[in-house]
Amino acid sequence: MGVSAIMSYRISVDTGGTFTDVVVSDQSGHYTIGKSLTTPERIYEGMENALKVAAEELSISLKELLSNADILIYGTTRATNAIVTGKVANTAFITTAGFPDTLVVKEGGKFNPHDFSKEFPKPYIPRRHTFEIEGRIDSSGMEVIPFNYKKAKSVCLEVGDKEFEAIAVCFLWSIANPTHEQEMGELIQETLPGIPFTLSHKLIPVVREYRRSSATAIDASLKPLMQSHLKGLEVDLRGAGYSGEILVSNVSGGCSNIDTLIDKPIYTVNSGPAMAPIAGLEFSSIEGQGNDVIVCDSGGTTFDVGLVRAGRLAFSRDSWMGQPYTGHLLGVSSVDVRSIGAGGGSIAWIDEGGLMRVGPQSAGAKPGPACYGLGGKDPTVSDAAAVLGYFNPEFFLGGMMALDIASAYKVLEKVSNPIGIQVELAAWQILNLASDLMMGAISDITINEGFDPRDSTIVAGGGAAGLNILKIAEELGCQRVIIPKVASALSAAGMQFADIVCEESASLFTSSANFDFEGVNSLLDSLERKLTIFRHSMPVYNDSPFYMELTAEARYEGQVWELDTPITTGRLKNNRDLDAFIESFHKVHERVFAVRDEGSSVEVMSWKARLSLKVSSQSIIDNKNKKDSSKIMAGNRVCWFGYQEPMDTPVYRGSSLTVGKHIEGPAIIEEPTTTIVVYPDMAITVSENGNYLVVINN
């Protein structure tokens, strides 16, 4: 009987800005990686190429792989890229009369408050595309001014005449009483059938007008694109012979079905990076390295950093597309991942003052770095690594791509010549600059949030992870580093462990000084009922283990921003439950700000319920030969490590390294989909699970 007749597979796919990563695991947890360049014009082509690589590794055909797969989980940057490039739907914004500038003013700040050189940022939806409707609800939910049905109908006709592709509706205090938004939605369906729209109270029922407006505008603008994209992908997969379940990763740190995310496509924004912390926690647990984890994912376009604290993912409503305050705010509760433009494809350049810079511009998948030989004209981090001798030009992507080192040298002269240094030194400085940017991102999510990186484990992933993560860990004082065997596809690996996740939230203001026990418990009951309905809407997983978590967004009286605080008692029925919740908040506040104010009342703005349905409980393990091998060496190569002379450096093939193998630097370890640089005075060991462990003695 053939392999395909007895094997079943679980496939996860992450389409990044440069590469598409595929991880295929079988029922025993053994995995195979496929990697290919992303094809932005038609995503399935890049996915198919990566799947073919994985199928070839398994000695089966693509058709056999797809026909024997039970679950395929898909993560995409399509929504993220559409926002960044402005290629979203032409969207109308309908709001309460007198409040047309919500998206224009944003939250009124900027990242550098004393920098007056930049123009005021443009709103996500141009003000000329904003329409005002008379009608007013107050904060208690009472109707102050009736809904102007006649005006609303004329606005619908105008929106139709101007051929808008989507509509965002956000009325003042609709979270207290959604009647006006509901009437507007019914009118849109009646007069403009087929045009997708988003109502703010259904998407994100939380206080703060800009956040709700921004989320609503982003969600509506993505609906035409993501409906077409996800449905088209489903058609392509079914046409290729796949008949199993299709799930899509979301920014809440899990996955959901296509229909759910078509209805709320904002949850697909940054959904790929949100999977990396899940993988990081899993690999740290497998290796017994604790549950405080810094997760770094260095891809072709960005460097993403996430945090796992005490085994729990960190969440935030402050995820900005672009620079804080001047970019566009997602507003929805999402896995807290900070991204900077410092990936392998990030472009190096010389500024007007003669200083070298790296990013945020990227060469992307096309044309990509010059060393790819696809026409790239700008020097990148990958070109620098190629010039330093870290890449094997004949073994890049396991030999699927031959690198053009001569072109890398040529483009690096664009930065070396203006500042009068040799090309190799310029390459080393590019790598160091990229490392500095990455360390800044790590500090932002750790030190600035009251978390000491020295007490945690770094799990490094992404195709460019192995280039400088050891240097970064050394500078930060981190003692432990794990580079998983599947590092180059860390986000795709995270999907292998992901649960089906659904979140519901609502606003109800109350204070510990006069706590609304009845209102809070009624609201929590309502949130849990919605999650139960969602769980029953997925009958395939009716028998799967599940759990619900309740969280409050709380603050001290008079504070501006809230902190997520777990409700450990399930409900807040009496003063004892309330005291436990208040103590929980004090601990969270003390952890983040190093202070607790027990004399202040605790206010709660919003409440959140999260359902997690377990899809798989297996781990993924290295399936390579762990027996002794005499062919672990791939030879030697001249490499540069700073300002000293180049060094003759041993090169190892990762597939031939045995469990317990200890490698002293300098050394290069070549995996089919990534390269690990072991710098001088450092060392790396192969674990029992086939991952690479580093202990740095600072």
Side-chain angles (χ1 to χ4, degrees):
M1 184 177 291
V3 172
S4 61
I6 59 173
M7 283 289 184
S8 64
Y9 300 104
R10 178 184 173 97
I11 300 171
S12 53
V13 182
D14 178 41
T15 57
T18 305
F19 288 103
T20 293
D21 300 327
V22 165
V23 174
V24 179
S25 64
D26 61 30
Q27 60 263 45
S28 61
H30 294 112
Y31 70 84
T32 302
I33 302 174
K35 201 175 186 78
S36 178
L37 287 172
T38 295
T39 51
E41 297 82 8
R42 187 180 176 212
I43 288 295
Y44 181 71
E45 290 180 7
M47 181 192 298
E48 184 180 51
N49 292 335
L51 287 168
K52 285 179 179 177
V53 173
E56 187 175 343
E57 284 284 316
L58 291 165
S59 300
I60 60 176
S61 67
L62 173 62
K63 185 176 181 180
E64 287 176 302
L65 172 59
L66 291 174
S67 63
N68 286 282
D70 299 321
I71 297 176
L72 186 146
I73 304 175
Y74 173 62
T76 177
T77 59
R78 177 57 66 95
T80 307
N81 293 341
I83 295 171
V84 171
T85 60
K87 296 180 179 178
V88 294
N90 185 25
T91 307
F93 181 62
I94 299 177
T95 190
T96 302
F99 295 85
D101 294 316
T102 305
L103 293 177
V104 176
V105 178
K106 301 190 177 187
E107 288 187 342
K110 59 182 178 179
F111 190 69
N112 295 310
H114 302 295
D115 181 3
F116 298 101
S117 63
K118 294 183 174 63
E119 293 184 9
F120 196 83
K122 295 180 180 179
Y124 188 78
I125 294 176
R127 196 181 186 282
R128 65 183 182 277
H129 294 169
T130 297
F131 301 86
E132 302 175 66
I133 307 290
E134 290 84 6
R136 185 71 179 270
I137 301 291
D138 68 14
S139 61
S140 66
M142 297 295 294
E143 184 180 70
V144 178
I145 300 174
F147 180 68
N148 190 331
Y149 186 87
K150 183 178 179 181
K151 172 67 173 178
K153 189 168 185 178
S154 70
V155 165
C156 285
L157 295 175
E158 185 177 354
V159 166
D161 290 341
K162 292 183 177 179
E163 298 183 344
F164 283 98
E165 300 167 296
I167 303 171
V169 180
C170 186
F171 291 150
L172 201 67
W173 291 111
S174 62
I175 56 172
N177 181 351
T179 303
H180 289 181
E181 279 195 6
Q182 290 169 342
E183 289 185 65
M184 191 73 226
E186 292 169 1
L187 195 53
I188 292 171
Q189 284 182 317
E190 177 187 326
T191 58
L192 301 169
I195 294 184
F197 63 92
T198 299
L199 305 179
S200 73
H201 78 275
K202 294 186 69 175
L203 176 70
I204 175 174
V206 298
V207 174
R208 292 199 174 97
E209 287 306 301
Y210 169 67
R211 294 179 171 231
R212 191 155 48 87
S213 299
S214 180
T216 304
I218 291 171
D219 185 76
S221 74
L222 291 172
K223 278 184 172 174
L225 171 75
M226 295 309 295
Q227 286 174 357
S228 173
H229 175 66
L230 293 176
K231 287 295 186 183
L233 179 66
E234 183 176 23
V235 169
D236 284 337
L237 284 169
R238 299 305 185 202
Y242 178 70
S243 59
E245 185 83 5
I246 300 175
L247 300 174
V248 182
S249 66
N250 63 48
V251 76
S252 299
C255 52
S256 193
N257 56 27
I258 286 178
D259 290 340
T260 298
L261 291 175
I262 281 177
D263 187 50
K264 295 181 178 181
I266 192 173
Y267 283 94
T268 66
V269 179
N270 287 338
S271 61
M275 295 293 104
I278 298 173
L281 175 60
E282 183 71 18
F283 285 117
S284 186
S285 299
I286 289 172
E287 298 298 346
Q289 298 295 316
N291 55 11
D292 288 333
V293 188
I294 301 168
V295 186
C296 305
D297 193 354
S298 182
T301 306
T302 61
F303 177 79
D304 306 317
V305 185
L307 190 65
V308 179
R309 190 194 299 265
R312 298 176 63 89
L313 300 180
F315 293 90
S316 174
R317 289 193 185 274
D318 293 313
S319 296
W320 292 83
M321 300 301 297
Q323 201 172 57
Y325 306 115
T326 56
H328 308 299
L329 185 64
L330 289 183
V332 297
S333 178
S334 59
V335 175
D336 191 5
V337 176
R338 315 290 171 86
S339 299
I340 59 170
S346 293
I347 295 171
W349 50 286
I350 304 297
D351 68 13
E352 294 177 354
L355 296 177
M356 186 185 293
R357 307 282 188 181
V358 173
Q361 301 87 356
S362 174
K366 289 184 179 181
C371 62
Y372 288 4
L374 300 175
K377 303 296 183 184
D378 296 307
T380 67
V381 173
S382 291
D383 292 315
V387 165
L388 293 170
Y390 300 163
F391 291 156
N392 182 344
E394 306 300 326
F395 192 69
F396 196 72
L397 286 184
M400 291 188 297
M401 177 186 289
L403 295 183
D404 185 349
I405 306 299
S407 290
Y409 266 93
K410 185 175 181 180
V411 296
L412 254 66
E413 290 177 351
K414 290 184 177 182
V415 292
S416 66
N417 288 346
I419 55 179
I421 61 175
Q422 69 185 97
V423 171
E424 290 83 1
L425 183 54
W428 179 254
Q429 290 184 1
I430 289 171
L431 213 60
N432 279 340
L433 281 172
S435 298
D436 289 343
L437 291 171
M438 294 171 184
M439 282 187 285
I442 294 173
S443 297
D444 183 46
I445 202 172
T446 56
I447 297 171
N448 293 352
E449 298 289 338
F451 187 84
D452 189 345
R454 295 173 297 181
D455 298 331
S456 62
T457 298
I458 289 181
V459 176
L467 293 181
N468 47 8
I469 194 62
L470 302 191
K471 278 289 187 183
I472 291 171
E474 183 182 46
E475 289 291 328
L476 288 170
C478 295
Q479 302 293 315
R480 304 180 302 275
V481 179
I482 302 171
I483 304 177
K485 196 81 166 181
V486 69
S488 65
L490 193 66
S491 291
M495 297 175 202
Q496 293 278 335
F497 313 122
D499 298 334
I500 294 175
V501 168
C502 181
E503 289 189 350
E504 292 287 347
S505 60
S507 288
L508 174 64
F509 176 81
T510 189
S511 169
S512 62
N514 185 25
F515 197 77
D516 183 1
F517 288 98
E518 182 178 352
V520 167
N521 289 314
S522 175
L523 182 145
L524 294 177
D525 287 342
S526 173
L527 295 181
E528 285 202 355
R529 280 195 298 272
K530 291 179 180 179
L531 294 181
T532 300
I533 292 171
F534 171 81
R535 183 168 69 87
H536 291 317
S537 73
M538 304 190 73
V540 174
Y541 302 103
N542 271 351
D543 296 328
S544 298
F546 71 93
Y547 61 95
M548 291 190 187
E549 297 176 280
L550 300 175
T551 306
E553 296 178 14
R555 67 187 185 189
Y556 286 126
E557 183 179 8
Q559 284 185 318
V560 177
W561 305 116
E562 298 81 43
L563 296 173
D564 277 1
T565 305
I567 303 172
T568 57
T569 55
R571 292 290 185 275
L572 299 171
K573 298 179 179 179
N574 49 46
N575 286 328
R576 185 175 61 184
D577 291 344
L578 179 59
D579 288 342
F581 171 74
I582 293 171
E583 176 59 25
S584 180
F585 172 75
H586 287 324
K587 289 180 179 178
V588 172
H589 196 277
E590 186 175 25
R591 185 196 72 210
V592 175
F593 298 112
V595 66
R596 55 193 287 158
D597 184 6
E598 297 186 10
S600 292
S601 299
V602 175
E603 299 176 335
V604 181
M605 301 291 290
S606 300
W607 309 82
K608 181 173 68 177
R610 176 184 173 94
L611 168 72
S612 297
L613 271 170
K614 204 72 178 173
V615 179
S616 174
S617 58
Q618 70 180 29
S619 296
I620 62 174
I621 58 177
D622 179 25
N623 64 344
K624 304 301 181 186
N625 181 15
K626 290 183 170 60
K627 296 181 180 179
D628 192 18
S629 171
S630 60
K631 295 183 178 180
I632 63 172
M633 291 291 295
N636 286 55
R637 195 158 62 239
V638 174
C639 298
W640 297 74
F641 299 98
Y643 297 90
Q644 67 267 34
E645 292 297 313
M647 304 177 70
D648 193 40
T649 306
V651 180
Y652 299 86
R653 288 285 165 84
S655 59
S656 300
L657 295 178
T658 57
V659 168
K661 178 64 179 178
H662 184 76
I663 297 174
E664 299 279 347
I668 302 292
I669 301 174
E670 295 179 346
E671 288 285 344
T673 54
T674 193
T675 299
I676 300 169
V677 181
V678 186
Y679 290 87
D681 302 322
M682 296 187 180
I684 202 164
T685 302
V686 181
S687 77
E688 288 284 341
N689 301 293
N691 301 313
Y692 297 105
L693 305 182
V694 185
V695 177
I696 297 175
N697 299 313
N698 292 285

